[in-house]
Structures are given as C-alpha cells and as structure tokens.
Amino acid sequence: MNWSNVILILQREIRDQLRDRRTLFMIFVLPILLYPFMGMTFFQLAQFIKEHPTKVLVIGRSQLPDDPVLIDGDEFAKDWFALPDDARLLELEFNDALASNPKLAREAARKGIEDDDYQAALYFPPDFNQELAEFRARVTRNRNGDVPKEVPGPEVFHNSAKKKSQIAQGRIDRVLRHWREGLVRENLNAAGVPQAAARPFELVEQDIADY
C-alpha cells in the first residue's frame, strides 16, 4: 500500500467535502440549531404532561369513611398532597350507581380508560367504610397481639401503555398512600397507642458532596 497515494486521496476528499456548503451546514450548523431546539421541545412537552390535569373516574365514593376525609367536595383533600395546589391536577368524576356491583364497576372503569374518557379510575368496594370501622374496632379490642384480617382495598385502574394514564396512576397512588397513613394514625389513637410506635426511627441522610 502506497501511503502517499492514500494521503493524497484523503486530502482530495476532504477538499471536496469542504467545498460542499450543504455538507458543511449538516455537519456544523444544523446540530447547533437542532439539538437545543429538540431538547427544549421535549422538556416543555414533559412539563406540560406533568402539570396538565388528568381525569379520574371515582366509583363508590359513598363507601368512604368520614374521618380522615379523602375527598373534599369534588377533589381529593389537599392534606394528602405535598403541595395543596397539586389537588387540581386530578379532576374527579363520580359514579356511585355502580358501587354495589363490582363486576359492572370494573367494566365501566376499564371501558372509560380504553375510550380515553378518563386517564385512570378508582373503585372502592362495597362496605369499604364498614370494613374499616370493624378493622379499627378489632385493633382497639385486640389484647393478644393478633393481626386483624386485612380490609379489601380500593382498586386503581390505569393503562401503562399511555403516559398520561401512568401519571394519573402515580398521583392517585401517592394520595392513597398518604391517606392510608392517616388511617393508621387514627387506628393508633383509637387503640391508645402512641403514633411514634409506627415510626420507631427516622432516616438521617448525610450529603458529603463537596461543592
């Protein structure tokens, strides 16, 4: 192989490419303009999806206990959000007519999501309030350390193939977890157990980053 010929050919190809303004534009100018624009577009789209309200079908609102309050008016109680204004990100629509029929309730929940009428659905089973009251009574009466039978919990329907449905499910999950913690505190109070018993220690984080 004659390296001098290779170098000559390479130099000629480079000169030809540099003479082509279209190639120069595609290599040097377009990435500088395009990539920041694409990044900003994706970021703004993600922020829009994150902050845009999602519609949720709630079936069985009548089965909820009065204390602690989960739904206040036509939205989730602000107590269960890190920021009170986040409650507006979940638009609730209620249907109590199907609450007593689990099969029809689940079918309506799935159909509403499949038809894009809602991004998620929340179903409270029949006698949910009564089951919670009986659970609390068993906890209060329990002196032998026996674990009471669990209460059938609410069901959250969503479509993991759709981004907005995933977001709605995540929001509902956080609300229900915080509300469940509120129920735990109420049960501890009813049983005369200090609330600190549910949290025997606090996690301490140590950031050793050197800025």
Side-chain angles (χ1 to χ4, degrees):
M1 178 182 295
N2 191 330
W3 285 105
S4 60
N5 292 335
V6 172
I7 294 174
L8 288 175
I9 294 173
L10 177 62
Q11 291 175 343
R12 187 181 65 183
E13 292 295 327
I14 292 176
R15 285 197 301 269
D16 291 341
Q17 293 296 328
L18 292 178
R19 292 193 186 102
D20 188 349
R21 294 182 179 180
R22 182 180 300 174
T23 302
L24 291 176
F25 177 81
M26 295 291 293
I27 295 175
F28 298 107
V29 180
L30 185 61
I32 296 176
L33 299 176
L34 183 61
Y35 292 157
F37 174 76
M38 291 176 61
M40 291 178 59
T41 301
F42 286 133
F43 175 77
Q44 292 177 351
L45 179 60
Q47 287 295 107
F48 173 79
I49 293 176
K50 182 179 179 181
E51 297 178 0
H52 193 70
T54 49
K55 296 188 64 176
V56 178
L57 173 64
V58 178
I59 302 176
R61 177 184 181 180
S62 59
Q63 307 299 322
L64 289 172
D66 295 330
D67 188 33
V69 175
L70 175 61
I71 297 176
D72 184 11
D74 59 352
E75 62 183 21
F76 285 117
K78 293 180 172 59
D79 294 341
W80 314 122
F81 293 87
L83 298 175
D85 288 344
D86 287 349
R88 64 179 176 80
L89 297 178
L90 288 165
E91 295 182 354
L92 307 185
E93 185 172 315
F94 305 97
N95 185 334
D96 278 340
L98 301 176
S100 60
N101 191 322
K103 181 179 179 180
L104 292 180
R106 293 184 177 100
E107 290 177 354
R110 292 189 179 94
K111 188 175 187 304
I113 298 173
E114 290 173 354
D115 294 343
D116 285 330
D117 295 328
Y118 310 98
Q119 279 72 58
L122 177 59
Y123 169 58
F124 295 96
D127 301 324
F128 182 63
N129 182 22
Q130 181 179 345
E131 293 276 0
L132 287 176
E134 292 178 358
F135 181 91
R136 180 177 298 178
R138 291 193 295 269
V139 170
T140 304
R141 294 192 306 265
N142 184 12
R143 302 301 179 189
N144 300 321
D146 297 330
V147 179
K149 181 181 177 182
E150 289 187 356
V151 175
E155 300 178 32
V156 180
F157 296 82
H158 71 288
N159 186 343
S160 60
K162 297 181 179 180
K163 185 64 176 178
K164 291 190 68 175
S165 187
Q166 289 183 4
I167 293 173
Q169 185 271 337
R171 291 169 177 169
I172 296 172
D173 181 68
R174 287 190 292 272
V175 170
L176 292 180
R177 282 192 287 107
H178 293 158
W179 181 63
R180 183 176 59 186
E181 292 173 2
L183 285 170
V184 171
R185 291 192 293 269
E186 293 291 336
N187 290 341
L188 292 176
N189 288 336
V193 179
Q195 294 186 14
R199 302 180 66 179
F201 66 88
E202 294 289 344
L203 180 63
V204 179
E205 296 183 1
Q206 301 287 355
D207 185 0
I208 63 171
D210 186 12
Y211 294 101

